[in-house]
Amino acid sequence: MSESPGVQAAPQEVWERPFVRAHQEWCSAFVLELRLRDVPGPVIGERLGEVEGHCTETGEPPSAAFGDPTDYAREIDAESSPERVSGVWAIAALGAGQVLAMLVGTDAIRHWASGEPLTYNPVQLGCLAVVAAALLCLPRVLRPLMAHPWVVGTALFAVVTAAGVGAAAAGGTSSTVVPVSPAVIAIGLFAVVLALSWLEYRELAGDSADDLVTSPLTPEPRANTAARRSGWSTFLPPLMIPIYYLAVGLLSWVFG
Amino acid sequence: MPTGPQPSEWLRGVLELCVLRVMADGPTYGYAIAGRLADSGFGDIKGGTLYPLLARLEKNELVIVDWRTGDSGPGRKYFTLTDAGRAELEHGLTQWEAFSARVGVHLAAGGDTFVHSTHSSRSSA
């Protein structure tokens, strides 16, 4: 997008910059709106660099020079090159796959622990499909979720809870026996969860390397906290579901 | 004769041409462009107005950009006209001269030229 002789030798995340820290609310809203529009991190950093450079020279706060951050983000994005990132959809799909494998797998562990065969019926399959659909549409509902967290969040929670209750209630109805041992299913799906976690980690690590919101401006003398933070934020999300899977499995064996 | 700031609708129509004209003098950056426009009597052009326009010029490849370390401050994004940008400026200047001349003639005549020519054409018909 731009040539940057000399200035971009050591890209620095925008959150490390004193200007961004001083105008945190405005800058966060600006970055959030561009993120929701799938604008790549370095492009967002360049737009924020324009704001910082201009405000530094005029002495104005960004709200005075550029107005409302969300409106300005929409306007500048409408006039910019249509570069987009799509990693969020891949991560949503991987996350949905992990959750489905976890739901079926932990149910298989419960049956394994009690010595019963794993069964299913159409209602339970339908409820699983509803949960999968809710997870897959998360990137699409992110904007209304941020704007109305209680309304949209409660609606999502209600849908997922209803699916869970529906699946549990349907457990007593006539079911088909899965012709595979619950132990094989539980272990096999744990392997699937681990594989999906690895793919999610790869996706997040790729994003953290290529899609950080880096500033094109001269770096400020403090940057390493960003690297530490991005390392943890890359590592933790993919591990959460395998850890939960193991914890539920353990509890099923102990109390099942 | 003292004049106040022009209506914002007028400026919106010609701002891109005025910015291209500033860039024709050499590579420049947003704050300097705003300063040149203010010196020319266009008033205070806010960043929220100027930078979307600069982004559009960049998207349409009328300028190339590069970040440079500033004398003071963290750095500046410089804009340099491309050949396409110079062609756009020439085209815009030609169009503007024709348009402003037409408006000038119309305003000076108070619309008489239009009424007169309309009556003439009707009479001859």
Side-chain angles (χ1 to χ4, degrees), chain B residues 6-13:
Chain B
Q6 66 288 328
S8 59
E9 291 81 5
W10 295 6
L11 184 59
R12 201 172 300 135

Side-chain angles (χ1 to χ4, degrees), chain B residues 65-86:
Chain B
V65 302
D66 63 294
W67 286 89
R68 302 180 192 176
T69 307
D71 298 334
S72 61
R76 288 167 175 162
K77 185 177 183 179
Y78 274 77
F79 299 83
T80 305
L81 272 188
T82 61
D83 289 342
R86 292 190 181 282

Side-chain angles (χ1 to χ4, degrees), chain B residues 33-95:
Chain B
I33 294 169
R36 282 278 303 274
L37 294 172
D39 291 344
S40 299
F42 290 110
D44 182 20
I45 308 295
K46 289 292 182 185
T49 302
L50 182 59
Y51 285 86
L53 188 155
L54 294 173
R56 187 165 68 244
L57 296 181
E58 188 181 342
K59 181 174 72 173
N60 294 335
E61 299 180 346
L62 302 181
V63 296
I64 54 170
V65 302
D66 63 294
W67 286 89
R68 302 180 192 176
T69 307
D71 298 334
S72 61
R76 288 167 175 162
K77 185 177 183 179
Y78 274 77
F79 299 83
T80 305
L81 272 188
T82 61
D83 289 342
R86 292 190 181 282
E88 182 71 15
L89 173 61
E90 292 299 323
H91 180 64
L93 284 173
T94 306
Q95 282 190 308

